[in-house]
Amino acid sequence: LETVDLPSGRTRIAGHASRTLEGASTSFLTLPERDLVVAVSSNISFADMKSVALAVARIFEAAGGEP
């Protein structure tokens, strides 16, 4: 577990990030206190997908949770 800052305040996240030998990068984050799950993937092996996933969570929450 880790704590991050979101527009509505600090919250806990749990997740997993991975990179494959074939050149893919993924991140899966759950934000249980916000009822939010974010999954992102890239075909660039060195991409920082956790940062992308957190950015998506911040944008989603700033919009009030509307898709």
Side-chain angles (χ1 to χ4, degrees):
L1 285 175
E2 181 179 344
T3 303
V4 297
D5 291 314
L6 293 178
S8 65
R10 295 181 64 76
T11 191
R12 293 180 300 154
I13 63 169
H16 176 75
S18 67
R19 295 184 172 125
T20 67
L21 294 174
E22 292 83 24
S25 182
T26 63
S27 183
F28 177 81
L29 297 179
T30 61
L31 297 88
E33 296 164 350
R34 303 292 192 262
D35 293 327
L36 181 62
V37 174
V38 178
V40 293
S41 65
S42 172
N43 61 351
I44 301 172
S45 64
F46 55 86
D48 183 5
M49 298 313 292
K50 181 178 177 183
S51 293
V52 173
L54 284 171
V56 169
R58 287 182 179 110
I59 291 167
F60 191 85
E61 192 168 76
E66 296 299 320

Coordinates of all heavy atoms in Angstrom, one line a residue:
L1 N 0.8 -1.2 0.0 CA 0.0 0.0 0.0 C 0.9 1.2 0.0 O 2.0 1.2 0.6 CB -0.9 0.0 1.2 CG -2.1 -0.9 1.2 CD1 -2.8 -0.8 2.5 CD2 -3.0 -0.6 0.1
E2 N 0.3 2.3 -0.6 CA 1.1 3.5 -0.7 C 0.0 4.6 -0.6 O -1.2 4.4 -0.9 CB 1.7 3.5 -2.1 CG 2.5 4.7 -2.4 CD 3.1 4.6 -3.8 OE1 3.2 3.5 -4.4 OE2 3.5 5.6 -4.4
T3 N 0.4 5.8 -0.2 CA -0.5 7.0 -0.1 C -0.1 8.0 -1.1 O 1.1 8.3 -1.3 CB -0.4 7.6 1.3 OG1 -0.8 6.6 2.3 CG2 -1.4 8.7 1.5
V4 N -1.1 8.5 -1.8 CA -0.9 9.5 -2.9 C -1.8 10.7 -2.7 O -2.9 10.6 -2.0 CB -1.1 9.0 -4.3 CG1 0.0 7.9 -4.6 CG2 -2.4 8.5 -4.5
D5 N -1.5 11.8 -3.3 CA -2.4 13.0 -3.2 C -3.2 13.1 -4.5 O -2.8 12.9 -5.6 CB -1.5 14.3 -3.2 CG -0.8 14.4 -1.9 OD1 -1.5 14.2 -0.8 OD2 0.4 14.8 -1.9
L6 N -4.5 13.2 -4.3 CA -5.5 13.4 -5.3 C -6.2 14.7 -5.1 O -6.1 15.3 -4.0 CB -6.5 12.3 -5.4 CG -6.0 10.9 -5.7 CD1 -7.1 9.9 -5.7 CD2 -5.3 10.9 -7.1
P7 N -7.0 15.3 -6.1 CA -7.7 16.5 -5.9 C -8.5 16.6 -4.6 O -8.6 17.6 -4.0 CB -8.5 16.7 -7.1 CG -7.8 15.9 -8.2 CD -7.2 14.8 -7.4
S8 N -9.1 15.5 -4.2 CA -10.0 15.5 -3.0 C -9.2 15.1 -1.7 O -9.8 15.1 -0.7 CB -11.1 14.5 -3.2 OG -10.6 13.2 -3.3
G9 N -7.9 15.0 -1.8 CA -7.1 14.7 -0.6 C -6.3 13.4 -0.8 O -6.3 12.8 -1.8
R10 N -5.6 13.1 0.3 CA -4.7 11.9 0.3 C -5.6 10.6 0.3 O -6.6 10.6 0.9 CB -3.8 11.9 1.4 CG -2.8 13.1 1.3 CD -1.8 13.2 2.4 NE -0.9 12.1 2.5 CZ 0.2 11.9 1.7 NH1 0.5 12.8 0.8 NH2 1.0 10.8 1.9
T11 N -5.1 9.6 -0.4 CA -5.8 8.3 -0.4 C -4.7 7.2 -0.6 O -3.6 7.4 -1.1 CB -6.8 8.3 -1.6 OG1 -7.6 7.1 -1.4 CG2 -6.2 8.2 -2.9
R12 N -5.1 6.0 -0.2 CA -4.3 4.8 -0.4 C -4.5 4.2 -1.7 O -5.6 4.2 -2.3 CB -4.6 3.8 0.7 CG -4.2 4.3 2.1 CD -4.5 3.2 3.1 NE -5.9 3.0 3.1 CZ -6.5 1.8 3.5 NH1 -5.7 0.9 4.0 NH2 -7.8 1.7 3.5
I13 N -3.4 3.7 -2.3 CA -3.5 2.9 -3.5 C -2.8 1.6 -3.3 O -1.9 1.4 -2.5 CB -2.8 3.6 -4.7 CG1 -1.3 3.9 -4.5 CG2 -3.5 4.9 -5.0 CD1 -0.6 4.3 -5.8
A14 N -3.2 0.6 -4.1 CA -2.6 -0.7 -4.2 C -2.5 -1.0 -5.7 O -3.4 -0.7 -6.4 CB -3.3 -1.8 -3.4
G15 N -1.5 -1.6 -6.1 CA -1.4 -2.0 -7.5 C -0.2 -2.8 -7.9 O 0.6 -3.2 -7.0
H16 N 0.0 -2.9 -9.2 CA 1.1 -3.6 -9.7 C 1.6 -3.0 -11.0 O 0.7 -2.6 -11.8 CB 0.7 -5.1 -10.0 CG 1.8 -5.9 -10.6 ND1 2.9 -6.3 -9.9 CD2 1.9 -6.3 -11.9 CE1 3.6 -7.0 -10.8 NE2 3.1 -7.0 -12.0
A17 N 2.9 -2.9 -11.3 CA 3.4 -2.4 -12.5 C 4.4 -3.5 -13.0 O 5.1 -4.1 -12.2 CB 4.1 -1.1 -12.4
S18 N 4.5 -3.6 -14.3 CA 5.4 -4.6 -14.9 C 5.9 -4.2 -16.3 O 5.3 -3.4 -16.9 CB 4.8 -6.0 -15.0 OG 3.7 -6.0 -16.0
R19 N 7.0 -4.8 -16.6 CA 7.6 -4.6 -17.9 C 7.9 -6.0 -18.5 O 8.4 -6.8 -17.7 CB 8.9 -3.7 -17.9 CG 8.5 -2.3 -17.4 CD 9.8 -1.5 -17.4 NE 9.4 -0.1 -17.2 CZ 9.9 0.7 -16.2 NH1 10.8 0.2 -15.4 NH2 9.4 1.9 -16.1
T20 N 7.8 -6.2 -19.8 CA 8.0 -7.5 -20.3 C 9.3 -7.4 -21.2 O 9.7 -6.4 -21.7 CB 6.8 -8.0 -21.1 OG1 6.7 -7.2 -22.3 CG2 5.6 -8.0 -20.3
L21 N 9.8 -8.6 -21.5 CA 11.0 -8.7 -22.4 C 10.6 -8.3 -23.8 O 11.4 -7.8 -24.6 CB 11.6 -10.1 -22.4 CG 12.2 -10.5 -21.1 CD1 12.6 -12.0 -21.2 CD2 13.4 -9.6 -20.8
E22 N 9.3 -8.4 -24.1 CA 8.8 -8.1 -25.5 C 8.6 -6.6 -25.7 O 8.3 -6.2 -26.8 CB 7.5 -8.8 -25.8 CG 7.6 -10.3 -25.9 CD 7.6 -11.0 -24.5 OE1 7.1 -10.5 -23.6 OE2 8.2 -12.1 -24.5
G23 N 8.8 -5.8 -24.6 CA 8.7 -4.4 -24.8 C 7.4 -3.7 -24.3 O 7.1 -2.6 -24.6
A24 N 6.6 -4.4 -23.5 CA 5.4 -3.8 -23.0 C 5.5 -3.4 -21.6 O 6.4 -3.9 -20.9 CB 4.2 -4.9 -23.1
S25 N 4.8 -2.4 -21.2 CA 4.8 -1.9 -19.9 C 3.3 -1.7 -19.4 O 2.5 -1.1 -20.2 CB 5.5 -0.5 -19.8 OG 5.6 0.0 -18.5
T26 N 3.0 -2.1 -18.2 CA 1.6 -2.0 -17.7 C 1.6 -1.5 -16.3 O 2.6 -1.6 -15.5 CB 0.9 -3.3 -17.7 OG1 1.6 -4.2 -16.9 CG2 0.9 -3.9 -19.1
S27 N 0.5 -0.9 -15.9 CA 0.3 -0.5 -14.5 C -1.2 -0.7 -14.2 O -2.1 -0.4 -15.0 CB 0.6 0.9 -14.2 OG 0.5 1.3 -12.9
F28 N -1.5 -1.3 -13.0 CA -2.8 -1.6 -12.5 C -2.9 -1.0 -11.1 O -2.2 -1.4 -10.3 CB -3.1 -3.1 -12.5 CG -4.5 -3.4 -12.0 CD1 -5.6 -3.3 -12.8 CD2 -4.6 -3.9 -10.7 CE1 -6.9 -3.7 -12.3 CE2 -5.9 -4.2 -10.2 CZ -7.0 -4.1 -11.0
L29 N -3.8 0.0 -10.9 CA -3.9 0.7 -9.6 C -5.3 0.6 -9.1 O -6.3 0.7 -9.9 CB -3.5 2.2 -9.7 CG -2.1 2.5 -10.1 CD1 -2.0 4.1 -10.1 CD2 -1.1 1.9 -9.1
T30 N -5.5 0.3 -7.9 CA -6.8 0.3 -7.2 C -6.7 1.4 -6.2 O -5.8 1.5 -5.4 CB -7.2 -1.1 -6.6 OG1 -6.2 -1.4 -5.6 CG2 -7.2 -2.1 -7.6
L31 N -7.8 2.2 -6.1 CA -8.0 3.2 -5.1 C -9.2 2.9 -4.3 O -10.3 3.4 -4.6 CB -8.1 4.6 -5.8 CG -6.8 5.0 -6.5 CD1 -6.8 4.5 -8.0 CD2 -6.6 6.5 -6.5
P32 N -9.2 2.0 -3.4 CA -10.4 1.4 -2.7 C -11.2 2.5 -2.0 O -12.4 2.4 -2.0 CB -9.9 0.4 -1.8 CG -8.4 0.7 -1.6 CD -8.0 1.4 -2.8
E33 N -10.6 3.5 -1.5 CA -11.3 4.6 -0.8 C -12.1 5.5 -1.7 O -13.0 6.2 -1.3 CB -10.4 5.4 0.1 CG -9.7 4.6 1.2 CD -8.5 5.3 1.8 OE1 -8.0 6.3 1.2 OE2 -8.0 4.8 2.8
R34 N -11.7 5.4 -3.0 CA -12.4 6.2 -4.1 C -13.2 5.4 -5.0 O -13.8 5.9 -6.0 CB -11.3 7.0 -4.9 CG -10.4 7.9 -4.1 CD -11.2 9.1 -3.5 NE -10.3 10.1 -2.9 CZ -10.0 10.2 -1.7 NH1 -10.5 9.3 -0.8 NH2 -9.2 11.1 -1.3
D35 N -13.3 4.1 -4.8 CA -14.1 3.2 -5.7 C -13.6 3.4 -7.1 O -14.4 3.5 -8.1 CB -15.6 3.4 -5.6 CG -16.1 3.0 -4.3 OD1 -15.6 2.1 -3.7 OD2 -17.1 3.7 -3.8
L36 N -12.3 3.4 -7.3 CA -11.7 3.7 -8.6 C -10.6 2.6 -8.9 O -9.8 2.3 -8.0 CB -11.1 5.1 -8.6 CG -10.4 5.6 -9.9 CD1 -11.4 5.6 -11.1 CD2 -9.8 7.0 -9.7
V37 N -10.6 2.2 -10.2 CA -9.5 1.3 -10.6 C -9.0 1.8 -12.0 O -9.8 2.2 -12.8 CB -10.1 -0.2 -10.9 CG1 -9.0 -1.1 -11.5 CG2 -10.5 -0.8 -9.6
V38 N -7.7 1.9 -12.1 CA -7.1 2.4 -13.4 C -6.1 1.3 -13.9 O -5.3 0.9 -13.1 CB -6.3 3.7 -13.1 CG1 -5.7 4.2 -14.4 CG2 -7.3 4.8 -12.6
A39 N -6.2 1.0 -15.1 CA -5.3 0.1 -15.8 C -4.8 0.7 -17.1 O -5.6 1.2 -17.9 CB -6.0 -1.3 -16.1
V40 N -3.5 0.8 -17.3 CA -2.9 1.4 -18.5 C -1.8 0.4 -19.0 O -1.2 -0.3 -18.2 CB -2.4 2.8 -18.2 CG1 -3.5 3.8 -18.0 CG2 -1.4 2.8 -17.1
S41 N -1.6 0.5 -20.3 CA -0.5 -0.3 -20.9 C 0.1 0.5 -22.0 O -0.5 1.4 -22.6 CB -1.0 -1.7 -21.3 OG -1.9 -1.5 -22.4
S42 N 1.3 0.1 -22.4 CA 2.1 0.8 -23.4 C 2.9 -0.3 -24.2 O 3.3 -1.3 -23.6 CB 3.0 1.9 -22.9 OG 3.8 2.4 -23.9
N43 N 3.2 0.0 -25.4 CA 4.2 -0.9 -26.1 C 5.6 -0.4 -26.0 O 6.4 -0.8 -26.8 CB 3.7 -1.1 -27.6 CG 3.7 0.2 -28.4 OD1 3.9 1.3 -27.8 ND2 3.5 0.1 -29.6
I44 N 5.9 0.5 -25.1 CA 7.2 1.1 -24.9 C 7.7 0.5 -23.5 O 7.1 0.8 -22.5 CB 7.2 2.6 -24.9 CG1 6.7 3.1 -26.2 CG2 8.6 3.1 -24.6 CD1 6.5 4.6 -26.3
S45 N 8.7 -0.3 -23.5 CA 9.1 -1.0 -22.3 C 9.6 -0.1 -21.2 O 9.4 -0.4 -20.0 CB 10.2 -2.0 -22.6 OG 11.3 -1.4 -23.1
F46 N 10.1 1.1 -21.5 CA 10.6 2.0 -20.4 C 9.6 3.1 -20.0 O 10.0 4.0 -19.3 CB 11.9 2.6 -20.9 CG 11.8 3.3 -22.2 CD1 11.4 4.6 -22.2 CD2 12.2 2.7 -23.4 CE1 11.3 5.3 -23.4 CE2 12.0 3.4 -24.6 CZ 11.6 4.7 -24.6
A47 N 8.4 3.0 -20.5 CA 7.4 4.0 -20.1 C 7.0 3.9 -18.6 O 6.9 2.8 -18.1 CB 6.1 3.7 -21.0
D48 N 6.9 5.0 -18.0 CA 6.5 5.1 -16.6 C 5.0 5.0 -16.5 O 4.3 6.1 -16.3 CB 7.1 6.4 -16.0 CG 6.8 6.5 -14.5 OD1 6.3 5.5 -13.9 OD2 7.1 7.5 -13.9
M49 N 4.4 3.9 -16.6 CA 3.0 3.7 -16.6 C 2.3 4.0 -15.3 O 1.2 4.3 -15.2 CB 2.6 2.3 -17.1 CG 3.1 2.1 -18.6 SD 2.8 3.4 -19.7 CE 1.0 3.4 -19.8
K50 N 3.0 3.8 -14.2 CA 2.5 4.2 -12.9 C 2.1 5.7 -12.8 O 1.1 6.0 -12.4 CB 3.4 3.8 -11.7 CG 2.8 4.1 -10.4 CD 3.7 3.7 -9.3 CE 3.1 4.1 -7.9 NZ 4.0 3.7 -6.8
S51 N 3.0 6.5 -13.3 CA 2.8 7.9 -13.4 C 1.6 8.2 -14.3 O 0.8 9.1 -13.9 CB 4.0 8.7 -13.8 OG 5.0 8.6 -12.9
V52 N 1.5 7.6 -15.4 CA 0.3 7.7 -16.3 C -1.0 7.3 -15.6 O -2.0 8.0 -15.6 CB 0.5 7.0 -17.6 CG1 -0.7 7.0 -18.5 CG2 1.7 7.5 -18.3
A53 N -0.9 6.2 -14.9 CA -2.1 5.7 -14.2 C -2.6 6.7 -13.1 O -3.7 7.0 -12.9 CB -1.9 4.3 -13.6
L54 N -1.6 7.3 -12.4 CA -1.9 8.2 -11.3 C -2.5 9.5 -12.0 O -3.4 10.1 -11.4 CB -0.7 8.6 -10.5 CG -0.3 7.5 -9.5 CD1 1.1 7.8 -8.8 CD2 -1.4 7.4 -8.4
A55 N -1.9 9.9 -13.1 CA -2.5 11.1 -13.8 C -3.9 10.9 -14.2 O -4.7 11.8 -14.1 CB -1.6 11.5 -15.0
V56 N -4.2 9.7 -14.7 CA -5.6 9.4 -15.1 C -6.5 9.4 -13.9 O -7.6 10.0 -13.9 CB -5.7 8.0 -15.8 CG1 -7.1 7.5 -16.0 CG2 -4.9 8.0 -17.1
A57 N -6.1 8.9 -12.8 CA -6.9 8.9 -11.5 C -7.1 10.3 -11.1 O -8.2 10.7 -10.7 CB -6.2 8.1 -10.4
R58 N -6.1 11.2 -11.1 CA -6.3 12.6 -10.7 C -7.2 13.3 -11.7 O -8.1 14.1 -11.2 CB -4.9 13.3 -10.7 CG -4.0 12.9 -9.6 CD -2.7 13.6 -9.6 NE -1.9 13.2 -8.4 CZ -0.8 12.4 -8.5 NH1 -0.3 12.1 -9.7 NH2 -0.2 12.1 -7.4
I59 N -7.1 13.1 -13.0 CA -8.0 13.7 -13.9 C -9.5 13.3 -13.7 O -10.4 14.1 -13.7 CB -7.6 13.5 -15.4 CG1 -6.3 14.2 -15.7 CG2 -8.7 13.8 -16.4 CD1 -5.6 13.7 -16.9
F60 N -9.6 12.0 -13.5 CA -11.0 11.4 -13.3 C -11.6 12.0 -12.0 O -12.8 12.4 -12.0 CB -10.9 9.9 -13.2 CG -12.2 9.2 -13.3 CD1 -12.8 8.9 -14.5 CD2 -12.9 8.8 -12.1 CE1 -14.0 8.3 -14.5 CE2 -14.1 8.2 -12.2 CZ -14.7 8.0 -13.4
E61 N -10.8 12.0 -11.0 CA -11.4 12.5 -9.7 C -11.6 14.1 -9.8 O -12.6 14.5 -9.2 CB -10.4 12.2 -8.6 CG -11.2 12.5 -7.3 CD -10.4 11.9 -6.1 OE1 -9.5 12.5 -5.7 OE2 -10.9 10.9 -5.6
A62 N -10.8 14.8 -10.5 CA -11.0 16.2 -10.6 C -12.3 16.5 -11.4 O -12.9 17.6 -11.1 CB -9.8 16.9 -11.3
A63 N -12.7 15.6 -12.2 CA -13.9 15.7 -13.0 C -15.1 15.3 -12.2 O -16.2 15.3 -12.7 CB -13.8 15.0 -14.3
G64 N -14.9 15.0 -11.0 CA -16.0 14.6 -10.1 C -16.4 13.1 -10.3 O -17.5 12.7 -10.0
G65 N -15.6 12.3 -10.9 CA -15.8 10.9 -11.0 C -16.7 10.6 -12.3 O -17.1 9.4 -12.5
E66 N -17.0 11.5 -13.1 CA -17.7 11.3 -14.3 C -16.8 10.9 -15.4 O -15.7 11.4 -15.6 CB -18.5 12.5 -14.7 CG -19.5 13.0 -13.7 CD -20.6 12.0 -13.5 OE1 -21.0 11.3 -14.5 OE2 -21.0 11.8 -12.4
P67 N -17.2 9.8 -16.2 CA -16.3 9.4 -17.3 C -16.2 10.4 -18.4 O -17.0 11.3 -18.6 CB -17.0 8.1 -17.8 CG -18.4 8.1 -17.3 CD -18.4 9.1 -16.1

